Amino acid sequence: PPFYFWNPTSPPGSLSAWSGSFPFAFQIYFDSSAYTDIAIGSAALFGFHFPANFRDPYFATSITDFWRRWHMSLSTWLRDYLYIPLGGNRHGNWDTYRNILITMLLGGLWHGASWKFVVWGGYQGVLLSAERLSPGCVAVPALIRGLVPLAPNSVGGVFVRGDSLTA
């Protein structure tokens, strides 16, 4: 692993460890987007046409917008087969927040069968619920709008980057 997350002979300081979260966010994006682009391109060689799976997620203006742009096939599946059958947003705010949290917890579990992924999913669910709870509470200048999803998702990456939840 890169030095900024874990080095058993010389653990990093806080600034070094946290500064590694931003490059890791881009690594995850480039890896994920690249493998889906390869799959889409390979399928096209055989006459199959699939839609794009990432649409500039770090240009999103909110966490909700980020999830509409990030791994769109998975996000759509989570929405259609978990969130909506749970009741979506049809039964009041608290049920909506519960449904978001359950959906994202299970989405985290889909990424890996360990507590670190469940915590990551819960963290994403809390972010989405908090954003829904306080829409438009902060006016974000256009120059730094891309940091809206990047910063909290970089923090979320810290949960999954370590070898374990305690790491």
Side-chain angles (χ1 to χ4, degrees):
F3 73 93
Y4 40 76
F5 277 101
W6 178 246
N7 180 343
T9 59
S10 176
S14 294
L15 179 61
S16 180
W18 283 106
S19 67
S21 66
F22 286 98
F24 182 63
F26 284 101
Q27 176 188 348
I28 292 296
Y29 168 66
F30 294 141
D31 285 352
S32 302
S33 181
Y35 79 71
T36 57
D37 288 345
I38 290 169
I40 290 168
S42 298
L45 292 171
F46 294 98
F48 296 98
H49 298 283
F50 296 108
N53 205 21
F54 290 85
R55 193 178 58 236
D56 302 322
Y58 288 127
F59 288 107
T61 58
S62 68
I63 299 300
T64 302
D65 187 30
F66 173 85
W67 280 105
R68 287 184 184 130
R69 297 164 171 255
W70 179 272
H71 205 324
M72 295 183 291
S73 59
L74 176 62
S75 296
T76 301
W77 191 92
L78 291 170
R79 182 195 67 208
D80 293 349
Y81 294 100
L82 293 175
Y83 179 70
I84 291 173
L86 285 168
N89 61 358
R90 293 183 303 255
H91 302 290
N93 288 337
W94 292 111
D95 285 350
T96 299
Y97 303 137
R98 180 203 64 207
N99 296 341
I100 290 170
L101 191 59
I102 290 170
T103 299
M104 295 310 289
L105 284 166
L106 291 172
L109 194 58
W110 178 89
H111 280 84
S114 73
W115 284 111
K116 65 184 190 173
F117 291 105
V118 174
V119 168
W120 172 83
Y123 173 75
Q124 295 296 326
V126 167
L127 289 176
L128 287 164
S129 296
E131 182 175 271
R132 188 177 184 91
L133 186 62
S134 56
C137 69
V138 178
V140 179
L143 184 62
I144 61 169
R145 200 166 283 146
L147 292 177
V148 171
L150 178 60
N153 277 302
S154 294
V155 171
V158 171
F159 294 117
V160 297
R161 180 59 180 96
D163 292 334
S164 67
L165 190 55
T166 56

